[in-house]
Amino acid sequence: MLRTSASRVLDDQDREEVLSVLDADPVANVFVASRVRSVGLSPARLGGQMWGFGPRGGLTSLCYAGANLVPVNAGPEAVQAFADRARKQGRRCSSIVGPVDPVEKLWERLEPYWGPARAIRWAQPVMAISSPSPVPPDPLVRRVRPDEFATLLPACVAMFTEEVGISPDLGDGGALYRSRVAELIRVGRSFARIEDGRVVFKAEVGAVTPQVCQIQGVWVHPELRGRGHAVTGMSAIVEQTLRHFAPAVTLYVNDFNAPARAAYRRVGFKEVDTFMSVLF
């Protein structure tokens, strides 16, 4: 068995060192970095714990342990240390997500205790773009207004259910999910094309750092798919996010979603990494 040092729970005293680790790969780490930059490392504010591997002043690896379990720059020894802590704590997350190698190795160690998974997405290409798309943007894609929450919410629920395989209304009746949708609208990070009270296309800027922002929740109304709305809509999202949020835009997509991958390539996104997700 691999011998390792133990991981430790980090706090706000470790913030600058944590950000240094995260900023070494701003695209892969945008979700975790966004959380740390916005709320710090206190578990009460972070919505979970940040585990570190390596001594103070020599931190090498991280693992965000909240609603998701997300390893960061985790080599074999760090993976073993994080798996040990996760196993002893018990599963509190709804997914393990991140770069393929550490996620796969974490799952190998946790599956005997946490398995079986509801679904495993073995390969999710990470795509990025840092310049406006050559495709003309859809001029009707705009920020969603707070008074349009009731119009947008069914589209968000449909997207989540289609993507994840379960409804976000399970568990707490959807209260947490509705709160997140409303918050993204409130801060101006929810975009859509809405016609006659129907959402044609929508997407959200789910995470933001000074280096990059991450797009999530891309969805086109099922009756309107195949008409190019995803391409022109994403071109508009790229244009607006580059202007207002960060100098690069990223997202990740299931490898089996060929239409989405083709649409993102037409917009100008390039594949830069591969994620894996284990869903519970």
Side-chain angles (χ1 to χ4, degrees), residues 129-198:
I129 187 172
S130 56
S131 59
S133 171
V135 176
D138 184 343
L140 298 182
V141 171
R142 56 171 175 79
R143 281 189 167 98
V144 177
R145 301 189 307 267
D147 66 302
E148 294 173 311
F149 171 80
T151 299
L152 183 71
L153 182 62
C156 293
V157 171
M159 178 282 306
F160 186 99
T161 304
E162 184 177 343
E163 173 68 19
V164 180
I166 58 172
S167 170
D169 293 336
L170 295 177
D172 65 353
L176 187 62
Y177 187 74
R178 289 194 299 273
S179 175
R180 177 61 173 164
V181 171
E183 174 65 9
L184 288 173
I185 293 173
R186 186 187 69 80
V187 298
R189 285 163 43 185
S190 179
F191 294 84
R193 173 173 174 167
I194 300 174
E195 294 181 342
D196 300 322
R198 179 171 73 167

Side-chain angles (χ1 to χ4, degrees), residues 121-125 163 252-258 260-261 277:
R121 308 288 167 79
W122 294 100
Q124 298 173 300
E163 173 68 19
Y252 63 98
V253 59
N254 292 317
D255 63 340
F256 54 78
N257 192 344
R261 293 176 67 184
S277 295

Side-chain angles (χ1 to χ4, degrees), residues 69-139:
L69 194 68
V70 186
V72 174
N73 195 42
E77 291 188 351
V79 165
Q80 184 65 59
F82 295 147
D84 288 346
R85 182 176 287 274
R87 176 179 54 79
K88 293 172 184 174
Q89 176 179 275
R91 183 175 72 81
R92 302 179 184 179
C93 61
S94 61
S95 70
I96 308 172
V97 60
V100 168
D101 187 64
V103 170
E104 186 172 13
K105 288 180 169 57
L106 268 174
W107 183 232
E108 286 175 0
R109 289 160 175 77
L110 291 173
E111 184 178 13
Y113 308 96
W114 288 10
R118 181 174 56 81
I120 299 179
R121 308 288 167 79
W122 294 100
Q124 298 173 300
V126 177
M127 309 182 79
I129 187 172
S130 56
S131 59
S133 171
V135 176
D138 184 343

